[in-house]
Amino acid sequence: MTVDPSPVRASSAGCAIGVRRPAGQWTSCPGEVTHAALWVEQHRRRRWRVFACDEHAHHPALAEARPLTDADREALEIRRRNRAV
């Protein structure tokens, strides 16, 4: 049996790791953001600052996740404001 990899939602204004609902759909993780990482979109080679909760901070796609810095908090707040518009 193979397990679907959790998708990374790079532009997410919260935890970037998707979680599977019982019915099989993917949705955003509702966890509180505590870490940030640089993630490279392989097919386009774009680099994103992504955010993760404690549970997903050690996800293989986020190999270099670190606790949030002030700059990360500011970037996350800007992303959240832009999403609310």
Side-chain angles (χ1 to χ4, degrees), residues 4-84:
D4 290 332
S6 301
V8 175
R9 298 170 186 264
S11 64
S12 176
C15 182
I17 304 301
V19 293
R20 189 175 275 248
R21 290 183 177 166
Q25 309 96 323
W26 288 101
T27 188
S28 297
C29 171
E32 180 183 345
V33 172
T34 57
H35 289 74
L38 185 63
W39 179 75
V40 178
E41 186 178 18
Q42 293 301 320
H43 65 283
R44 287 196 238 164
R45 308 298 291 166
R46 287 183 65 184
R47 295 165 25 134
W48 292 82
R49 183 186 330 210
V50 296
F51 304 99
C53 65
D54 277 336
E55 182 180 342
H56 292 118
H58 303 291
H59 187 280
L62 309 180
E64 297 183 23
R66 65 191 185 302
L68 289 176
T69 64
D70 288 339
D72 295 326
R73 286 184 186 87
E74 184 177 334
L76 179 60
E77 184 57 34
I78 289 168
R79 193 176 289 181
R80 287 178 173 163
R81 277 196 309 257
N82 288 339
R83 291 272 185 235

